Amino acid sequence: MKKLKLFLLMVFTISFFNKAISQNEAGAKFVSDFNILITSLKELHPVLYKNISEAEFDKNVAAISARLLHTTSKYQAIYMIQELIYKIGNGHAGNISVYNGDLETTKCLPFSVYILNNELYINDYPSDTTYNGIKINTIEGTASKTIIDSLRIFFPSDGKRDVTCFFLHPFFNCYYRAFCRQKDTFLVGTQKGRIKAIAAQKGTTL
C-alpha cells in the first residue's frame, strides 16, 4: 500500500512539474513576442510618448512582462498586451471621447475600462485613481460578464464567440449608455468595494 501511495505521489509530482515547464515555456514565448513588439514600437512609432511618459511606458512594459510569464492562454496574453496599446493611444483605444458615435446620449459611466479574459476592469477613474486596474463585478446589479456578452454582439471577431473584440474596450461606455442605462449615478460593485459613481457628462474624455 505504501508503494502504491509513493507511486501515485511520484506520478502527481511529475505531471505537476511537466505542467510548470509548459507554463514557463508558453510564458517565455509570450514575453519574447512582446519584446519584439516593444522594440518595434520604440524604433518606428513617431509619437510613442505622446499620451504617457517614457518612464510610465517602461513601468507598464515591465509589469506586463511579469504577468505574461504566468499565462498559457494566447487570448489572455493578447488582452494583457492590449492594455499597453490602449494606454499609448492606439487609433481605436485610449484618449478618446466616451461620446464617440452618434447615439445622442448625455450621461455615461465616469471611467474607461478594459476587458481581460471576459472580465471587466477599470482602466482610468479620474475621481479616484486607486480603483484603476480593479476588477468590476457588477454595474447596477448586473454581472460584468453578462454586460460584456450582451454588448460584444456589436463587435464580432470572425465568428469566434469566445473572443471579445478589442474595439469593445474603447467603445464600452458608448454602448453601455445607449443599450443598458443612462443615470446620474451608477452603483458599481468592485473587488475593492462598491462605488457610487457620478455620471460623466457629454464631452468628457477618458
Side-chain angles (χ1 to χ4, degrees), residues 14 40 70 108 170 198:
I14 292 172
S40 298
H70 301 287
C108 72
I198 299 173

Side-chain angles (χ1 to χ4, degrees), residues 80-99:
M80 289 179 184
I81 294 170
Q82 175 67 4
E83 291 176 36
L84 179 66
I85 304 303
Y86 190 109
K87 290 180 180 179
I88 66 176
N90 173 274
H92 295 284
N95 283 344
I96 65 169
S97 171
V98 294
Y99 287 93

Side-chain angles (χ1 to χ4, degrees), residues 37-57:
L37 171 64
I38 297 306
T39 299
S40 298
L41 284 172
K42 289 185 173 182
E43 291 178 355
L44 303 173
H45 200 298
V47 285
L48 183 58
Y49 307 118
K50 178 182 178 181
N51 298 309
I52 62 174
S53 67
E54 183 174 0
E56 185 179 357
F57 177 87

Side-chain angles (χ1 to χ4, degrees), residues 53-118:
S53 67
E54 183 174 0
E56 185 179 357
F57 177 87
D58 291 340
K59 180 180 177 181
N60 277 271
V61 168
I64 292 172
S65 294
R67 289 164 59 199
L68 285 171
L69 279 173
H70 301 287
T71 183
T72 57
S73 165
K74 66 178 180 181
Y75 293 126
Q76 189 172 28
I78 290 170
Y79 285 133
M80 289 179 184
I81 294 170
Q82 175 67 4
E83 291 176 36
L84 179 66
I85 304 303
Y86 190 109
K87 290 180 180 179
I88 66 176
N90 173 274
H92 295 284
N95 283 344
I96 65 169
S97 171
V98 294
Y99 287 93
N100 273 358
D102 55 359
L103 298 175
E104 299 300 326
T105 50
T106 58
K107 293 174 286 192
C108 72
L109 294 164
F111 44 75
S112 57
V113 304
Y114 62 89
I115 300 164
L116 178 61
N117 201 26
N118 288 321

